[in-house]
Amino acid sequence: MQLAAIVISLVTTLVGTALAARAALYIYTFVRLGADVPAGMRTGNPAQRVKTVAKEFLGHTRMTTWGVVGVAHWFVATGFFCLVLTLVTAFGQLFKADFALPVIGNWWPYELFEEVVGLFTTLGILTLIVIRLLSLPGRAGRKSRFAGSIAWQAFFVEYVILGIGICILMLRGLEGALGGVGHYEAAYAVSYPIVLAFKGLSAGTLQNLIYLFAMLKITISFTWAITIGLNPSMGVAWHRFLAFFNIYFKREESGEVALGELLPMTSGGTPIDFEDPADDAVFGVSQVEQFSWKGLLDFSTCTECGRCQSQCPAWNTGKPLSPKLLIMNLREHAYAKAPYLLAGGGKDAEGNETATAEQLANVPAAALAEAERPLIGTAEENGVIDPDVLWSCTTCGACVEQCPVDIEHIDHIVDMRRYQVMIESSFPTEAGTMLKNLENKGNPWGMATKARLDWVKELKKETGIEVPVIGEDIDPAEVEYLYWVGCAGALEDRAKKTTKAFAELLHTAGVKFAILGKEESCTGDSARRLGNEFLFQMLGAQNVETLNTVLEDAPVKRIVATCPHCFNTIANEYPQLGGHFEVIHHTQLLQHLIDEGKLVPVNPVEGLITYHDPCYLGRHNKVYTPPREIIAAVPGLRNEEMHRHKERGFCCGAGGARMWMEERIGKRINTERVDEALSLNPDIISTACPFCLVMLSDSANGKKSEGQAKENLRVVDVAQLLLDSVKAVPEAPAAPADDQEPVPSA
């Protein structure tokens, strides 16, 4: 028995180690195929990056938000590393049944630690197995976050861990029985029942059982190594190693997720100069090898857990986009194409092969066929990513927010969009009208520039309040805040109500503010997220120049915006173009004014309210509290949260330039969100974004016409609610005394 155990264990160990090492080298070589990134971009502030890795691994900061799943995974993940010495012990036990590690092997604190971690690792993996079995795609369909995952790989990994956990506990029990343990003690606090089960067996039998279970533990461990060695794209297994690197090299050196701004377009690791691009500049991604090396590392690290998929608004409304499946498809394509790329294969801009016949002579036919597949294409075209998948994304950031290994889905999607828009001119036709209007008129509706001041005239007519234009009616030095109105806020009728309400609130609070008026142009948010980086650069440069000029003499370059998309672009993306401004959202300023007592909500606004988090205010910029504090300050309102809110808030469907594209597949995203709100039977649905306001209003009005929502349901911005509460209610005229005739009106 002992000899067989030694031979089987050592052979399995040698084969497993060799194959796993070979696969690790292959993965490294594969990742190196990706394009370079700007110098220092992924490596700055190494100390902080190490802290981030430690925090995310030891704290499981993304996983623990999922409750029992996160806790179970924590024990499994930490157990993998904490219990590595049990593998060393197992090798020793092959040669000597009562082997113990030097120094600590018979030290009860270590033995107790080993038992407790072994128990909770086993219980943890059992929990994860049960959760997976209860959520099988065959039962839950698209609602299962495991839909589309490679099932055998996941179950293989889970049952391997379960087998190892059982072996650890069995070996502890056999060690106790062989050592004659006769009562509960700290060193056998967990395994003593197993000790009792083996009590009475002969020493020879106990030794043979130890040889058997040591062999099983080693063989299971290295069968796993053999399997992952033969499957370098097996992300569900390799992520336990690659995740450390993927988190370390994440986009933000501060440790924040890759949300907010988009990265500038680069080619060969250098930002593209759109005024004079290099002749060989690559615009966007049309081949998998054009993704950065971090992109290829992202694909390799995906563990197929499906948390991104479960939160994706597109997937949840019947559309073909699943962030998980997109990453998996890119990974499988990349690894299938890798032999061709490693042999020197590649295509130039015209699609001609750059490698010689000799270089490609030994490349497998399957890899050559994979190299011919278009990255973006329909099933008939044998494309890797279907166009409907690419254009379904709202860039809401739910996938990036939830990913436990920091995959940067949005950056990859936008890179593919950039090539489609700028090189192929291939995108949904209705978006073309938006781009043309931005280019010609500076706004997506194509309205005349002078229309940007219509709301100012309306406000003066309604309230007598005059809104000054900076540089014309007021000196920049006198301005506390430059109010960036935005295209929707100036031109869309429903959003204009928010604009006028906010301006009236600022006037009431005595805040000196001004607007740019006709000098304001679209920030370029929609153009950039659609993929037209050139148009974004043009609009952005124009706006930065305008802002720098008008705010040159201002004490502080302070800007307030009612649109989260404008807020995000000016605050996070304009620094890429030389525009450095202090930017806040209108809810942040209103909350501040309430705290200072400059705005006092006194008039009750009765009703049940539910608040919708705009993606570009919440997830992208972490502004969750101010809107809720404003609602809490308004007397009469009873706030109730929707099931999906804050970090897990559900998109309205307008982001990522989807505002300008028709939804033709599945349920409309805004309808799904309004249905969720209506389940609370609210009187008011509130938000803090003009895009969200339009999308939610459209759906709510449709529900009213169908009799599925009450007629008095309102969809409003929080600024409108605050104004209703701050604004003085006109006093009713006093009723005339009974003995007096009423005074006739003039």
Side-chain angles (χ1 to χ4, degrees):
M1 181 67 215
Q2 183 181 23
L3 180 60
I6 291 172
V7 172
I8 293 172
S9 297
L10 292 183
V11 169
T12 309
T13 300
L14 289 172
V15 175
T17 302
L19 289 176
R22 186 188 69 169
L25 180 60
Y26 184 78
I27 292 172
Y28 173 76
T29 307
F30 166 78
V31 169
R32 289 286 301 273
L33 288 171
D36 291 334
V37 299
M41 180 184 160
R42 299 282 179 179
T43 54
N45 199 349
Q48 179 58 48
R49 290 181 180 276
V50 170
K51 288 180 185 176
T52 299
V53 172
K55 175 185 173 184
E56 292 199 19
F57 175 67
L58 296 177
H60 260 48
T61 50
R62 219 71 57 77
M63 292 286 292
T64 48
T65 60
W66 288 74
V68 65
V69 177
V71 174
H73 190 275
W74 186 88
F75 281 108
V76 172
T78 54
F80 177 81
F81 295 100
C82 291
L83 298 174
V84 69
L85 289 180
T86 64
L87 188 60
V88 177
T89 301
F91 277 109
Q93 288 170 328
L94 291 175
F95 299 92
K96 185 181 178 185
D98 60 351
F99 172 82
L101 293 172
V103 183
I104 63 171
N106 293 313
W107 185 41
W108 75 261
Y110 169 73
E111 291 180 296
L112 176 62
F113 170 81
E114 186 180 279
E115 293 220 338
V116 170
V117 175
L119 173 65
F120 281 102
T121 298
T122 305
L123 293 176
I125 200 62
L126 276 171
T127 302
L128 297 181
I129 289 172
V130 170
I131 289 171
R132 187 178 293 274
L133 289 172
L134 292 175
S135 304
L136 287 176
R139 297 177 183 175
R142 287 175 67 99
K143 290 186 178 180
S144 169
R145 61 186 176 90
F146 304 116
S149 298
I150 304 174
W152 78 262
Q153 294 184 353
F155 280 118
F156 172 77
V157 169
E158 289 174 342
Y159 287 123
V160 160
I161 297 170
L162 177 61
I164 292 173
I166 292 172
C167 286
I168 289 172
L169 295 176
M170 292 296 290
L171 284 168
R172 287 294 300 152
L174 289 166
E175 290 166 18
L178 185 63
V181 174
H183 56 80
Y184 264 107
E185 57 183 81
Y188 293 91
V190 172
S191 64
Y192 185 66
I194 304 175
V195 173
L196 291 178
F198 290 115
K199 190 174 182 180
L201 294 180
S202 67
T205 301
L206 290 173
Q207 289 174 345
N208 280 330
L209 286 172
I210 288 176
Y211 300 147
L212 173 63
F213 278 99
M215 178 194 71
L216 285 174
K217 175 170 169 39
I218 293 167
T219 303
I220 291 172
S221 299
F222 285 95
T223 297
W224 176 81
I226 291 170
T227 304
I228 70 170
L230 295 173
N231 295 276
S233 65
M234 191 174 173
V236 71
W238 279 104
H239 85 276
R240 66 178 51 194
F241 305 112
L242 299 180
F244 296 105
F245 299 100
N246 211 49
I247 295 170
Y248 180 87
F249 291 118
K250 67 194 300 183
R251 193 176 85 183
E252 305 298 332
E253 62 183 42
S254 64
E256 294 296 321
V257 292
L259 293 174
E261 76 274 22
L262 286 176
L263 295 173
M265 280 182 66
T266 60
S267 179
T270 304
I272 295 174
D273 180 358
F274 281 90
E275 293 185 2
D276 184 24
D279 294 337
D280 60 348
V282 177
F283 293 86
V285 170
S286 63
Q287 303 290 332
V288 73
E289 63 270 22
Q290 291 170 351
F291 285 107
S292 72
W293 59 261
K294 176 58 167 64
L296 298 187
L297 182 58
D298 273 355
F299 307 157
S300 303
T301 308
C302 178
T303 185
E304 303 173 28
C305 66
R307 285 170 182 79
C308 57
Q309 179 174 287
S310 70
Q311 302 298 300
C312 177
W315 183 259
N316 275 278
T317 53
K319 296 168 182 61
L321 168 63
S322 156
K324 177 188 73 177
L325 297 180
L326 178 135
I327 295 297
M328 287 174 60
N329 288 340
L330 290 171
R331 179 187 67 200
E332 299 307 315
H333 168 63
Y335 274 94
K337 188 178 179 180
Y340 162 80
L341 297 173
L342 291 170
K347 303 285 178 67
D348 61 20
E350 286 73 37
N352 301 313
E353 180 59 57
T354 58
T356 63
E358 290 76 15
Q359 287 177 292
L360 302 180
N362 296 320
V363 175
L368 293 173
E370 195 71 27
E372 296 302 317
R373 296 182 67 190
L375 188 65
I376 306 297
T378 61
E380 292 76 14
E381 296 166 333
N382 197 27
V384 179
I385 303 297
D386 191 278
D388 285 334
V389 170
L390 186 66
W391 298 111
S392 291
C393 180
T394 66
T395 67
C396 71
C399 50
V400 179
E401 179 72 39
Q402 292 298 328
C403 181
V405 293
D406 282 302
I407 293 171
E408 299 165 359
H409 312 73
I410 292 178
D411 288 352
H412 306 321
I413 288 171
V414 172
D415 273 340
M416 290 186 284
R417 284 183 171 189
R418 284 166 167 169
Y419 180 83
Q420 293 300 304
V421 172
M422 300 181 68
I423 303 300
E424 296 291 336
S425 296
S426 176
F427 49 88
T429 52
E430 59 267 27
T433 303
M434 179 268 292
L435 293 176
K436 188 179 297 182
N437 289 335
L438 287 181
E439 191 170 351
N440 296 332
K441 297 291 186 177
N443 69 80
W445 287 279
M447 297 176 69
T449 303
K450 63 181 181 181
R452 286 186 177 273
L453 289 171
D454 286 352
W455 72 272
V456 176
K457 299 171 187 174
E458 293 168 13
L459 183 64
K460 183 178 180 182
K461 184 177 179 180
E462 294 165 7
T463 65
I465 297 172
E466 295 189 14
V467 177
V469 176
I470 195 166
E472 294 181 14
D473 307 317
I474 190 171
D475 189 85
E478 302 176 45
V479 175
E480 292 180 71
Y481 292 94
L482 171 63
Y483 174 22
W484 184 276
V485 181
C487 299
L491 303 171
E492 207 284 328
D493 288 339
R494 285 162 289 188
K496 280 160 70 173
K497 294 178 182 178
T498 302
T499 304
K500 289 186 280 188
F502 180 57
E504 190 169 348
L505 286 166
L506 292 182
H507 176 79
T508 301
V511 176
K512 290 187 176 180
F513 72 100
I515 62 172
L516 285 176
K518 291 184 287 187
E519 293 299 313
E520 189 177 293
S521 184
C522 180
T523 59
D525 163 83
S526 292
R528 190 174 217 196
R529 276 146 188 82
L530 184 73
N532 195 329
E533 182 72 8
F534 177 78
L535 181 55
F536 164 75
Q537 296 273 340
M538 184 180 75
L539 293 168
Q542 174 187 324
N543 284 328
V544 167
E545 182 180 0
T546 299
L547 288 169
N548 280 333
T549 300
V550 299
L551 295 176
E552 185 177 7
D553 297 326
V556 181
K557 295 183 179 181
R558 188 179 291 136
I559 299 170
V560 61
T562 42
C563 176
H565 296 266
C566 298
F567 165 56
N568 178 71
T569 302
I570 299 171
N572 299 324
E573 298 188 333
Y574 279 6
Q576 299 172 8
L577 306 175
H580 299 275
F581 312 104
E582 182 183 321
V583 191
I584 62 170
H585 188 251
H586 76 290
T587 56
Q588 294 173 301
L589 179 55
L590 292 177
Q591 180 207 354
H592 177 67
L593 294 173
I594 292 172
D595 291 344
E596 285 192 330
K598 293 182 178 179
L599 290 174
V600 183
V602 289
N603 301 313
V605 180
E606 299 293 342
L608 177 67
I609 185 172
T610 188
Y611 174 72
H612 162 80
D613 285 286
C615 300
Y616 273 79
L617 182 64
R619 264 191 300 270
H620 281 274
N621 285 283
K622 306 297 179 275
V623 179
Y624 297 110
T625 303
R628 288 174 169 81
E629 292 200 353
I630 294 170
I631 290 171
V634 175
L637 288 177
R638 292 171 288 117
N639 185 32
E640 188 169 342
E641 296 283 7
M642 284 181 267
H643 174 65
R644 294 176 287 204
H645 64 281
K646 292 189 175 179
E647 289 85 356
R648 294 194 193 176
F650 198 76
C651 183
C652 75
R658 289 295 321 175
M659 178 84 168
W660 321 105
M661 293 181 259
E662 188 54 57
E663 280 190 64
R664 297 185 175 88
I665 305 174
K667 184 178 181 180
R668 294 181 67 90
I669 294 174
N670 58 336
T671 300
E672 171 74 8
R673 186 54 163 168
V674 168
D675 281 344
E676 185 175 358
L678 292 180
S679 69
L680 303 174
N681 194 28
D683 301 295
I684 302 168
I685 300 174
S686 183
T687 188
C689 169
F691 284 16
C692 296
L693 191 69
V694 169
M695 300 297 283
L696 299 180
S697 295
D698 283 347
S699 183
N701 290 337
K703 294 291 181 182
K704 287 181 185 179
S705 66
E706 296 167 4
Q708 297 178 22
K710 48 193 180 187
E711 284 299 320
N712 64 344
L713 175 67
R714 291 199 293 156
V715 180
V716 295
D717 189 278
V718 290
Q720 294 171 262
L721 292 171
L722 182 59
L723 180 62
D724 288 344
S725 186
V726 168
K727 208 170 184 179
V729 178
E731 293 185 10
D738 292 339
D739 58 346
Q740 290 181 336
E741 292 292 327
V743 178
S745 59

